[in-house]
Amino acid sequence: MITLHLLTVLQLLVIGNLLAMAMVLAYEKRASSPGPVRLFVLSKMLQATGWTLICLRGSIPLVLSAHVGNPLIMAGFALEVGLVLIPWRLHSPINILLALQVVLGSVLLWIFGTTPASLVTISGSVVAIIYATGGVALLRDAEASRVQKLTGILFLIFLPIMLLRVGHYATTDAGLLTPSVIQSLTFVVQFSFLLIGTLAFLLLMKEADDRRLKESEARERERLQLQSQFMDMLTHELRAALSVVTMSGSSLRHQLTSQPPDVLRRLDTIQMATDAMRGVIERCIQLDRLDRDDQPVLREDCQLSELIDAIRVRLTSGSERLDVEIPAACQMWADRQLLSIMLENLLDNALKYSPQGSPVHVAAHTTTDDAGRQQTILQIRNPADASCLPDPEQIFLRYYRGPEAHMHTGTGLGLYLVRTLARVQDGDVTYRVTEDTMVELNLRLPATPPLP
C-alpha cells in the first residue's frame, strides 16, 4: 500500500484551509447574509492555526502543538459542521451539543493526553463524534436539502476511517507522523472533509440566496397585483366621476350661452380641469401597464402629419402656437396608440412650459443609422427661461418635475412614459438646450419595419 509523507499532507491542510478562507471571503460580497460567511471563515482560521501548530511539533513546546493545536482543530471542525447543518441559527441544540463535545474533548486532552498515542486517541475520538453528530443530524432532518443530505452521507462514510485510526493508536505506540496506511488514509479523509465542507457551505449559501430571491420576487408580484387591482378600481371610479362632470359641464355650456363672459370662462375652466385630470389618470394607467409588463405593442406605418393634426384637435389650449413642418411622407414604424400618447405628452409638455404666446416648432426628418436602417426623428423646440430649466440628468426620471412645474398640473410621468414607450419600440428620446435657450426634444423611432 502507498503511504504519504505526513508532514507534507499537514502542510497541505494548512494551505487548503487558507485557500478555503479566501474562496468564502470572495463570496461574502454576494451573500445576502454575511454572518454565516464570517463564521465559516473563522472555522477555517481555527483549523489552519491548529494544523500549523501540529506541523511545528518538535520545534515548539508540546503544550502548544498538541494541547492547543488539537482543541483549535476540534473547535474549527465543530463550527464548520454546525454551519453546514443550520447556517442561520447558531443557538440550536445541535450546535450546543457540538460545543459541549469540543469542551469535553479539550478537557480530556489536557488531563489524559500525556503520550502521543493518548493525544491522537482522544482528539481522533472527538473528531469522529463530531462527524457522527453532523451526519446523523443531516440525515434525520426532513427539511435538509440534497446538498445537506449528501454531506451527511459523506460524514458517516468518513466515520469508520476515523475510528480505525483511533483503534490503531490505542493499541500501538506510533507517533503522529509515523508513516502507515491508516495514517495516510486518515489524512486523505481530513483533506476531503476540507474540500467537501467548503463546497457544501458555498452551495448552501447559494441555495439560501436563491430562496430569498424567489421569496422577494413573490412578494413583489403580490404587491404589484394588489397595486394593479387598486389602480383599476380607483381609475374606474375617477373616470366615472369625471364623465359626469364633463357631461354636466358641456350641458351647462350649451344652456348658458347667453350668460356673461365670466360665467362661461368658469365653465371652460371646469372643462380644462377635468381634461387635465383625465390626462393624469391615463398616465397612471399607462404606467401601471408598463410596471406589469402588460403593454401590447402592435406596430404599423404611422403618418406623423395625420397624428399631429388629430392631437391638435384634442389639445385644450395653445394648439394655435404649434408651428408644424412635417413632410407628408414622413412616417414611423410604431404602435399608433402608443405613438399618439407619446406625441400628446411631448406637445403638451412644450406648450405648458414655454412662455405664453411663444411658438412651438415641430419638425421631422428621416435618416439612416449605422446599421443601415431608416430612422425618423421628430424634433420639438420651444423657448424657455434659462433660470427654470429642468435638470437634464433627471428630466426622464419617474415623478421628476422641474423648478416651474408647481405652477402647472401634472404627475412627473409624461417624459418618463415617452422614453419608456420609445424604448419598447426600439427607439429613444433625447433632451438638450441650445445656445439660444431653446429646449429641444428629439423622438427617434424606426421609419420602416425591420428586414426579414
Side-chain angles (χ1 to χ4, degrees):
M1 297 290 291
I2 297 175
T3 57
L4 303 175
H5 188 264
L6 299 182
L7 183 58
T8 301
V9 176
L10 290 173
Q11 293 169 346
L12 287 175
L13 285 169
V14 175
I15 295 171
N17 278 287
L18 293 176
L19 289 175
M21 287 172 54
M23 289 172 57
V24 176
L25 280 172
Y27 181 79
E28 182 183 11
K29 293 181 180 179
R30 293 183 53 196
S32 58
S33 179
V37 174
R38 293 168 185 171
L39 287 173
F40 192 85
V41 170
L42 175 61
S43 76
K44 289 300 178 185
M45 187 180 298
L46 291 172
Q47 294 177 56
T49 305
W51 289 120
T52 300
L53 292 175
I54 289 177
C55 286
L56 296 174
R57 184 167 295 183
S59 302
I60 59 175
L62 184 64
V63 67
L64 286 176
S65 174
H67 296 88
V68 174
N70 281 305
L72 287 176
I73 293 172
M74 291 186 293
F77 275 151
L79 183 55
E80 182 174 346
V81 170
L83 288 168
V84 172
L85 286 168
I86 310 173
W88 304 272
R89 205 172 65 209
L90 292 178
H91 302 294
S92 66
I94 293 295
N95 283 333
I96 294 173
L97 177 60
L98 290 169
L100 290 175
Q101 291 169 0
V102 173
V103 172
L104 180 59
S106 300
V107 171
L108 292 175
L109 202 66
W110 276 82
I111 296 175
F112 300 106
T114 56
T115 64
S118 60
L119 288 170
V120 174
T121 300
I122 295 171
S123 60
S125 298
V126 174
V127 171
I129 293 171
I130 291 172
Y131 279 152
T133 303
V136 172
L138 286 170
L139 293 178
R140 290 185 60 187
D141 186 358
E143 297 181 358
S145 67
R146 292 182 180 179
V147 173
Q148 289 175 304
K149 294 285 187 184
L150 179 59
T151 305
I153 292 171
L154 292 173
F155 282 170
L156 295 182
I157 291 175
F158 293 162
L159 178 60
I161 299 172
M162 296 300 300
L163 292 176
L164 190 63
R165 179 175 183 248
V166 171
H168 172 72
Y169 272 90
T171 56
T172 64
D173 294 327
L176 175 67
L177 301 179
T178 302
S180 68
V181 174
I182 294 176
Q183 283 275 63
S184 300
L185 191 59
T186 301
F187 283 115
V188 168
V189 167
Q190 300 280 21
F191 198 81
S192 301
F193 177 79
L194 185 159
L195 297 175
I196 291 169
T198 303
L199 181 61
F201 178 77
L202 288 174
L203 289 174
L204 285 173
M205 292 301 295
K206 181 66 168 57
E207 284 183 354
D209 290 341
D210 290 344
R211 184 171 62 251
R212 288 193 180 98
L213 180 60
K214 289 180 180 178
E215 291 172 354
S216 176
E217 289 175 346
R219 288 194 298 269
E220 181 64 13
R221 283 195 299 271
E222 183 179 358
R223 185 189 69 80
L224 287 175
Q225 184 177 5
L226 291 173
Q227 176 182 303
S228 177
Q229 292 172 352
F230 174 75
M231 184 65 71
D232 289 343
M233 178 274 296
L234 183 62
T235 54
H236 174 76
E237 296 299 326
L238 288 175
R239 275 174 160 175
L242 284 175
S243 296
V244 172
V245 173
T246 301
M247 286 187 294
S248 299
S250 178
S251 176
L252 284 172
R253 187 70 172 76
H254 287 296
Q255 294 175 20
L256 302 177
T257 53
S258 60
Q259 294 296 314
D262 61 326
V263 175
L264 299 179
R265 280 197 298 272
R266 291 175 187 174
L267 290 173
D268 291 338
T269 301
I270 293 173
Q271 183 64 40
M272 290 173 62
T274 55
D275 289 340
M277 284 299 299
R278 185 176 291 105
V280 170
I281 293 171
E282 293 301 326
R283 288 188 180 98
C284 291
I285 292 172
Q286 197 66 50
L287 179 64
D288 183 55
R289 287 177 181 170
L290 290 170
D291 286 341
R292 286 184 292 160
D293 197 20
D294 189 28
Q295 178 59 66
V297 179
L298 304 174
R299 302 194 202 186
E300 58 181 302
D301 289 326
C302 300
Q303 301 295 327
L304 278 179
S305 58
E306 294 179 5
L307 287 174
I308 296 292
D309 289 341
I311 292 170
R312 293 182 76 158
V313 176
R314 296 198 298 268
L315 292 173
T316 55
S317 63
S319 59
E320 70 283 352
R321 295 164 51 199
L322 295 179
D323 177 20
V324 181
E325 296 180 5
I326 298 179
C330 204
Q331 64 181 27
M332 287 180 169
W333 176 252
D335 184 298
R336 185 175 297 274
Q337 180 183 358
L338 299 184
L339 182 55
S340 295
I341 293 171
M342 295 157 67
L343 295 177
E344 191 165 348
N345 275 299
L346 288 172
L347 294 174
D348 180 66
N349 190 78
L351 293 169
K352 187 185 295 183
Y353 297 111
S354 58
Q356 289 293 330
S358 62
V360 173
H361 304 282
V362 183
H365 67 278
T366 302
T367 185
T368 304
D369 62 15
D370 295 337
R373 184 176 176 182
Q374 286 191 320
Q375 304 279 322
T376 296
I377 298 177
L378 176 74
Q379 185 180 87
I380 299 177
R381 301 175 76 246
N382 62 271
D385 185 348
S387 63
C388 302
L389 292 173
D391 184 350
E393 298 296 326
Q394 301 185 67
I395 190 169
F396 293 111
L397 295 182
R398 185 185 299 202
Y399 305 127
Y400 171 75
R401 305 195 73 197
E404 291 292 308
H406 64 278
M407 299 176 61
H408 307 278
T409 59
T411 59
L413 293 174
L415 292 181
Y416 169 80
L417 287 174
V418 170
R419 187 181 65 170
T420 305
L421 293 174
R423 291 179 175 179
V424 165
Q425 301 175 84
D426 303 323
D428 207 348
V429 61
T430 58
Y431 162 86
R432 78 183 188 97
V433 180
T434 63
E435 293 181 357
D436 54 348
T437 322
M438 294 288 285
V439 170
E440 187 177 290
L441 284 160
N442 291 285
L443 172 64
R444 175 184 56 79
L445 283 173
T448 57
L451 296 175

